[in-house]
Amino acid sequence: MSISHAPPSSPEPDISAISGDGDDLTKSTQSASVADHSDIDTPSPPELESLVGTSSRRTRVPRWLRRTAGPVLLLILWQLLSATGVLTADVLASPGRIAQVAGDLITDGSLPSAMGTSLQRVAAGLALGTAVGTALALVSGLFRIGEDLVDAPVQMLRTVPFVGLIPLFIIWFGIGEAPKVAIITLGVTFPLYLNVYAGIRGVDAQLIEAGESLGLSRWGLVRHVVLPGALPGALTGLRYSLGIAWLALVFAEQVNADSGIGFLMVQARDFLRTDVIVVCLIVYAFLGLLADFIVRSLERLLLQWRPTFTGR
Protein backbone atom coordinates (compact mmCIF):
# COMPACT_ATOMS: atom_id res chain seq x y z
CA MET A 1 0.00 0.00 0.00
CA SER A 2 1.59 3.28 -1.10
CA ILE A 3 1.00 6.57 0.61
CA SER A 4 0.92 9.76 -1.55
CA HIS A 5 2.33 12.98 -0.07
CA ALA A 6 0.56 15.28 -2.56
CA PRO A 7 -2.21 17.46 -1.17
CA PRO A 8 -5.66 16.51 -1.95
CA SER A 9 -6.95 17.77 -5.20
CA SER A 10 -8.98 20.96 -4.90
CA PRO A 11 -10.77 22.82 -7.61
CA GLU A 12 -8.68 25.78 -8.98
CA PRO A 13 -10.49 29.07 -8.86
CA ASP A 14 -11.35 30.65 -12.19
CA ILE A 15 -9.72 34.09 -12.16
CA SER A 16 -10.80 35.00 -15.66
CA ALA A 17 -14.20 35.95 -14.37
CA ILE A 18 -12.64 38.05 -11.61
CA SER A 19 -10.33 39.83 -14.05
CA GLY A 20 -13.23 40.38 -16.37
CA ASP A 21 -15.26 41.81 -13.53
CA GLY A 22 -12.33 44.06 -12.58
CA ASP A 23 -12.04 45.39 -16.11
CA ASP A 24 -15.72 46.08 -16.16
CA LEU A 25 -15.41 47.88 -12.81
CA THR A 26 -12.48 50.02 -14.05
CA LYS A 27 -14.32 50.94 -17.22
CA SER A 28 -17.43 51.81 -15.32
CA THR A 29 -15.40 53.98 -12.88
CA GLN A 30 -13.67 55.80 -15.74
CA SER A 31 -16.95 56.38 -17.53
CA ALA A 32 -18.51 57.66 -14.30
CA SER A 33 -15.60 60.06 -13.72
CA VAL A 34 -15.84 61.31 -17.32
CA ALA A 35 -19.54 61.82 -16.85
CA ASP A 36 -18.94 63.70 -13.60
CA HIS A 37 -16.34 65.95 -15.28
CA SER A 38 -18.64 66.56 -18.21
CA ASP A 39 -21.29 67.80 -15.79
CA ILE A 40 -18.82 70.41 -14.32
CA ASP A 41 -18.39 73.51 -16.51
CA THR A 42 -14.73 74.18 -17.33
CA PRO A 43 -13.92 77.77 -16.27
CA SER A 44 -12.74 80.03 -19.11
CA PRO A 45 -9.32 81.71 -18.70
CA PRO A 46 -9.44 85.26 -17.30
CA GLU A 47 -9.26 88.11 -19.77
CA LEU A 48 -6.01 90.09 -19.64
CA GLU A 49 -6.27 93.84 -19.36
CA SER A 50 -3.59 96.01 -20.83
CA LEU A 51 -1.82 98.01 -18.15
CA VAL A 52 -1.30 101.68 -18.98
CA GLY A 53 1.45 103.57 -17.23
CA THR A 54 0.60 106.42 -14.94
CA SER A 55 2.70 108.85 -16.96
CA SER A 56 0.76 108.07 -20.14
CA ARG A 57 -2.60 108.50 -18.39
CA ARG A 58 -1.69 111.94 -17.12
CA THR A 59 -2.58 114.93 -19.18
CA ARG A 60 0.63 116.34 -20.59
CA VAL A 61 1.04 120.05 -19.97
CA PRO A 62 2.96 121.95 -22.67
CA ARG A 63 6.50 122.70 -21.63
CA TRP A 64 6.31 126.42 -22.42
CA LEU A 65 3.32 126.65 -20.07
CA ARG A 66 5.22 124.95 -17.27
CA ARG A 67 8.22 127.24 -17.75
CA THR A 68 6.11 130.40 -17.65
CA ALA A 69 3.90 129.32 -14.75
CA GLY A 70 6.49 130.21 -12.10
CA PRO A 71 7.20 133.80 -13.26
CA VAL A 72 3.50 134.47 -13.81
CA LEU A 73 2.62 133.30 -10.29
CA LEU A 74 5.43 135.45 -8.89
CA LEU A 75 4.09 138.51 -10.72
CA ILE A 76 0.58 137.85 -9.44
CA LEU A 77 1.85 137.54 -5.87
CA TRP A 78 3.90 140.71 -6.30
CA GLN A 79 0.90 142.65 -7.59
CA LEU A 80 -1.29 141.40 -4.73
CA LEU A 81 1.25 142.46 -2.12
CA SER A 82 1.55 145.89 -3.73
CA ALA A 83 -2.23 146.32 -3.98
CA THR A 84 -2.78 145.38 -0.33
CA GLY A 85 -0.08 147.79 0.85
CA VAL A 86 2.32 145.16 2.13
CA LEU A 87 4.89 146.40 -0.40
CA THR A 88 4.91 150.18 -0.55
CA ALA A 89 6.13 152.15 -3.54
CA ASP A 90 9.15 153.39 -1.56
CA VAL A 91 10.29 149.81 -0.98
CA LEU A 92 9.37 148.24 -4.31
CA ALA A 93 7.11 149.55 -7.07
CA SER A 94 4.23 147.44 -8.33
CA PRO A 95 4.45 145.50 -11.61
CA GLY A 96 1.88 147.83 -13.19
CA ARG A 97 3.93 150.89 -12.30
CA ILE A 98 7.11 149.25 -13.58
CA ALA A 99 5.46 148.40 -16.90
CA GLN A 100 4.29 152.01 -17.25
CA VAL A 101 7.77 153.40 -16.52
CA ALA A 102 9.34 150.95 -18.98
CA GLY A 103 6.95 152.17 -21.67
CA ASP A 104 7.89 155.78 -20.92
CA LEU A 105 11.62 155.03 -21.10
CA ILE A 106 11.18 153.24 -24.42
CA THR A 107 9.06 156.06 -25.82
CA ASP A 108 11.55 158.83 -25.04
CA GLY A 109 14.44 156.70 -26.38
CA SER A 110 16.53 156.63 -23.20
CA LEU A 111 16.22 152.89 -22.63
CA PRO A 112 17.10 151.78 -26.21
CA SER A 113 20.09 154.14 -26.22
CA ALA A 114 21.30 152.78 -22.87
CA MET A 115 20.87 149.19 -24.06
CA GLY A 116 22.90 149.88 -27.19
CA THR A 117 25.77 151.38 -25.19
CA SER A 118 25.80 148.50 -22.70
CA LEU A 119 25.72 145.92 -25.49
CA GLN A 120 28.73 147.53 -27.13
CA ARG A 121 30.71 147.35 -23.90
CA VAL A 122 29.78 143.72 -23.31
CA ALA A 123 30.59 142.76 -26.90
CA ALA A 124 34.03 144.39 -26.73
CA GLY A 125 34.87 142.85 -23.36
CA LEU A 126 33.54 139.44 -24.41
CA ALA A 127 35.56 139.43 -27.63
CA LEU A 128 38.80 140.37 -25.87
CA GLY A 129 38.19 137.99 -22.96
CA THR A 130 37.35 135.10 -25.30
CA ALA A 131 40.51 135.66 -27.33
CA VAL A 132 42.77 135.96 -24.28
CA GLY A 133 41.19 133.07 -22.35
CA THR A 134 41.18 130.69 -25.31
CA ALA A 135 44.77 131.53 -26.26
CA LEU A 136 46.04 130.97 -22.72
CA ALA A 137 44.09 127.70 -22.47
CA LEU A 138 45.53 126.42 -25.75
CA VAL A 139 49.08 127.23 -24.70
CA SER A 140 48.61 125.70 -21.26
CA GLY A 141 46.61 122.70 -22.43
CA LEU A 142 48.61 121.63 -25.45
CA PHE A 143 52.14 122.13 -24.12
CA ARG A 144 53.58 121.07 -20.79
CA ILE A 145 56.01 123.96 -20.74
CA GLY A 146 53.07 126.26 -21.41
CA GLU A 147 51.25 124.81 -18.43
CA ASP A 148 54.29 125.41 -16.24
CA LEU A 149 54.57 129.03 -17.35
CA VAL A 150 50.91 130.05 -17.70
CA ASP A 151 48.70 128.04 -15.35
CA ALA A 152 50.12 129.16 -12.01
CA PRO A 153 49.86 132.94 -12.70
CA VAL A 154 46.36 132.53 -14.10
CA GLN A 155 45.23 130.58 -11.05
CA MET A 156 46.61 133.30 -8.76
CA LEU A 157 44.89 136.09 -10.69
CA ARG A 158 41.66 134.10 -10.78
CA THR A 159 41.38 134.20 -7.00
CA VAL A 160 41.59 138.01 -6.96
CA PRO A 161 38.10 139.63 -7.16
CA PHE A 162 38.01 141.60 -10.40
CA VAL A 163 35.92 144.27 -8.66
CA GLY A 164 38.89 144.97 -6.39
CA LEU A 165 40.97 145.89 -9.43
CA ILE A 166 38.70 148.78 -10.41
CA PRO A 167 40.84 151.43 -8.63
CA LEU A 168 43.94 150.18 -10.45
CA PHE A 169 42.13 150.19 -13.78
CA ILE A 170 41.00 153.78 -13.20
CA ILE A 171 44.61 154.78 -12.47
CA TRP A 172 45.93 152.90 -15.48
CA PHE A 173 43.24 153.60 -18.08
CA GLY A 174 41.48 156.72 -16.81
CA ILE A 175 37.71 157.11 -16.44
CA GLY A 176 36.65 156.56 -20.05
CA GLU A 177 35.53 153.37 -21.77
CA ALA A 178 38.84 151.53 -21.32
CA PRO A 179 38.45 150.58 -17.62
CA LYS A 180 34.87 149.39 -18.21
CA VAL A 181 35.92 147.11 -21.06
CA ALA A 182 38.94 145.91 -19.06
CA ILE A 183 36.74 144.88 -16.12
CA ILE A 184 34.46 142.89 -18.42
CA THR A 185 37.45 141.33 -20.19
CA LEU A 186 38.96 140.21 -16.90
CA GLY A 187 35.68 138.69 -15.74
CA VAL A 188 35.24 136.76 -19.00
CA THR A 189 38.80 135.43 -19.31
CA PHE A 190 39.05 133.09 -16.33
CA PRO A 191 35.88 130.94 -16.72
CA LEU A 192 36.68 130.41 -20.38
CA TYR A 193 40.30 129.53 -19.61
CA LEU A 194 39.34 126.94 -17.00
CA ASN A 195 36.74 125.20 -19.16
CA VAL A 196 38.80 125.15 -22.36
CA TYR A 197 41.85 123.90 -20.47
CA ALA A 198 39.78 121.16 -18.79
CA GLY A 199 38.25 120.23 -22.15
CA ILE A 200 41.66 119.85 -23.77
CA ARG A 201 43.09 117.76 -20.94
CA GLY A 202 39.89 115.70 -20.82
CA VAL A 203 40.32 114.29 -24.35
CA ASP A 204 40.65 110.50 -24.28
CA ALA A 205 44.28 109.43 -24.72
CA GLN A 206 43.17 106.45 -26.82
CA LEU A 207 41.77 108.88 -29.39
CA ILE A 208 45.19 110.55 -29.58
CA GLU A 209 46.85 107.15 -30.08
CA ALA A 210 44.32 106.25 -32.77
CA GLY A 211 45.02 109.51 -34.60
CA GLU A 212 48.76 108.93 -34.42
CA SER A 213 48.34 105.40 -35.78
CA LEU A 214 46.39 106.86 -38.70
CA GLY A 215 49.30 109.13 -39.52
CA LEU A 216 47.91 112.46 -38.33
CA SER A 217 50.45 115.18 -37.73
CA ARG A 218 50.53 117.26 -34.56
CA TRP A 219 48.40 119.95 -36.15
CA GLY A 220 46.09 117.26 -37.52
CA LEU A 221 45.62 115.84 -34.03
CA VAL A 222 44.85 119.28 -32.65
CA ARG A 223 42.40 120.06 -35.43
CA HIS A 224 40.57 116.74 -35.76
CA VAL A 225 40.80 115.28 -32.24
CA VAL A 226 41.68 117.79 -29.52
CA LEU A 227 39.62 120.80 -30.54
CA PRO A 228 36.40 118.84 -31.24
CA GLY A 229 36.84 117.06 -27.91
CA ALA A 230 37.32 120.36 -26.07
CA LEU A 231 34.40 122.10 -27.81
CA PRO A 232 31.71 121.08 -25.24
CA GLY A 233 33.80 122.48 -22.41
CA ALA A 234 34.50 125.66 -24.38
CA LEU A 235 30.80 126.30 -24.94
CA THR A 236 30.07 125.68 -21.27
CA GLY A 237 32.77 128.18 -20.38
CA LEU A 238 31.27 130.66 -22.80
CA ARG A 239 27.93 130.42 -21.01
CA TYR A 240 29.60 131.08 -17.67
CA SER A 241 31.56 133.94 -19.18
CA LEU A 242 28.44 135.60 -20.53
CA GLY A 243 26.82 135.52 -17.11
CA ILE A 244 29.89 137.08 -15.51
CA ALA A 245 30.10 139.65 -18.33
CA TRP A 246 26.70 141.09 -17.36
CA LEU A 247 27.71 141.02 -13.71
CA ALA A 248 30.93 142.88 -14.50
CA LEU A 249 28.98 145.38 -16.60
CA VAL A 250 26.93 146.38 -13.56
CA PHE A 251 30.13 147.27 -11.67
CA ALA A 252 31.81 148.81 -14.70
CA GLU A 253 28.96 151.20 -15.42
CA GLN A 254 29.15 152.50 -11.86
CA VAL A 255 32.57 153.98 -12.67
CA ASN A 256 31.85 157.54 -13.79
CA ALA A 257 29.50 156.42 -16.56
CA ASP A 258 27.47 158.96 -18.50
CA SER A 259 25.49 156.42 -20.55
CA GLY A 260 24.33 152.83 -20.39
CA ILE A 261 21.92 150.88 -18.23
CA GLY A 262 24.14 151.34 -15.18
CA PHE A 263 24.00 155.12 -15.64
CA LEU A 264 20.19 154.96 -15.53
CA MET A 265 20.41 152.94 -12.32
CA VAL A 266 22.74 155.47 -10.69
CA GLN A 267 20.39 158.30 -11.55
CA ALA A 268 17.40 156.33 -10.26
CA ARG A 269 19.24 155.61 -7.02
CA ASP A 270 19.90 159.32 -6.48
CA PHE A 271 16.19 160.11 -6.91
CA LEU A 272 14.90 157.00 -5.03
CA ARG A 273 13.17 155.66 -8.15
CA THR A 274 12.75 151.99 -7.41
CA ASP A 275 10.64 151.56 -10.52
CA VAL A 276 13.47 152.65 -12.84
CA ILE A 277 15.96 150.46 -10.95
CA VAL A 278 13.74 147.40 -11.37
CA VAL A 279 13.29 148.17 -15.08
CA CYS A 280 17.07 148.23 -15.51
CA LEU A 281 17.44 144.96 -13.61
CA ILE A 282 14.80 143.35 -15.81
CA VAL A 283 16.67 144.55 -18.89
CA TYR A 284 19.91 143.04 -17.54
CA ALA A 285 18.12 139.73 -16.93
CA PHE A 286 16.49 139.75 -20.37
CA LEU A 287 19.78 140.45 -22.16
CA GLY A 288 21.51 137.72 -20.16
CA LEU A 289 18.75 135.24 -20.99
CA LEU A 290 18.97 136.17 -24.67
CA ALA A 291 22.75 135.67 -24.70
CA ASP A 292 22.38 132.28 -22.98
CA PHE A 293 19.76 131.25 -25.55
CA ILE A 294 22.15 132.11 -28.37
CA VAL A 295 24.95 130.01 -26.84
CA ARG A 296 22.60 127.05 -26.24
CA SER A 297 21.52 127.27 -29.88
CA LEU A 298 25.19 127.14 -30.86
CA GLU A 299 25.60 124.05 -28.68
CA ARG A 300 22.76 122.26 -30.44
CA LEU A 301 24.21 123.25 -33.81
CA LEU A 302 27.86 122.45 -33.19
CA LEU A 303 27.42 119.37 -31.00
CA GLN A 304 25.01 117.38 -33.15
CA TRP A 305 27.56 114.54 -33.26
CA ARG A 306 27.26 114.02 -29.49
CA PRO A 307 23.94 112.47 -28.36
CA THR A 308 23.13 113.52 -24.81
CA PHE A 309 20.38 112.95 -22.29
CA THR A 310 17.72 115.68 -22.56
CA GLY A 311 15.54 114.72 -19.60
CA ARG A 312 12.16 113.01 -19.39
Side-chain angles (χ1 to χ4, degrees), residues 138 142-143 215-228:
L138 289 175
L142 295 176
F143 308 100
L216 291 177
S217 62
R218 187 177 184 85
W219 168 244
L221 287 174
V222 172
R223 180 182 177 184
H224 297 289
V225 179
V226 177
L227 292 183

Side-chain angles (χ1 to χ4, degrees), residues 191-192 194-196 230-243 292 295 299 303 306:
L192 199 59
L194 291 175
N195 284 274
V196 175
L231 186 58
L235 291 175
T236 302
L238 184 59
R239 291 181 65 182
Y240 280 114
S241 298
L242 278 171
D292 186 74
V295 177
E299 285 183 347
L303 301 180
R306 190 188 67 164

Side-chain angles (χ1 to χ4, degrees), residues 73-212:
L73 292 176
L74 182 61
L75 285 175
I76 294 173
L77 179 62
W78 183 3
Q79 182 64 39
L80 289 175
L81 293 177
S82 299
T84 56
V86 177
L87 283 177
T88 60
D90 296 336
V91 176
L92 187 62
S94 64
R97 175 61 182 170
I98 291 172
Q100 181 181 357
V101 171
D104 296 338
L105 292 176
I106 294 173
T107 302
D108 61 16
S110 58
L111 186 58
S113 176
M115 289 176 59
T117 304
S118 297
L119 283 173
Q120 290 177 3
R121 290 168 180 161
V122 169
L126 183 65
L128 291 175
T130 300
V132 174
T134 304
L136 291 176
L138 289 175
V139 172
S140 182
L142 295 176
F143 308 100
R144 292 182 180 177
I145 187 172
E147 181 183 8
D148 297 337
L149 296 176
V150 172
D151 188 64
V154 170
Q155 296 297 337
M156 288 189 295
L157 289 174
R158 183 178 66 87
T159 59
V160 177
F162 62 88
V163 180
L165 297 176
I166 292 178
L168 279 177
F169 287 166
I170 293 176
I171 295 174
W172 293 343
F173 305 114
I175 57 175
E177 292 295 316
K180 302 175 180 59
V181 176
I183 293 171
I184 299 172
T185 301
L186 191 65
V188 167
T189 299
F190 298 120
L192 199 59
Y193 168 82
L194 291 175
N195 284 274
V196 175
Y197 173 79
I200 293 173
R201 290 303 176 94
V203 175
D204 192 352
Q206 294 182 355
L207 296 178
I208 303 294
E209 295 176 359
E212 291 176 347

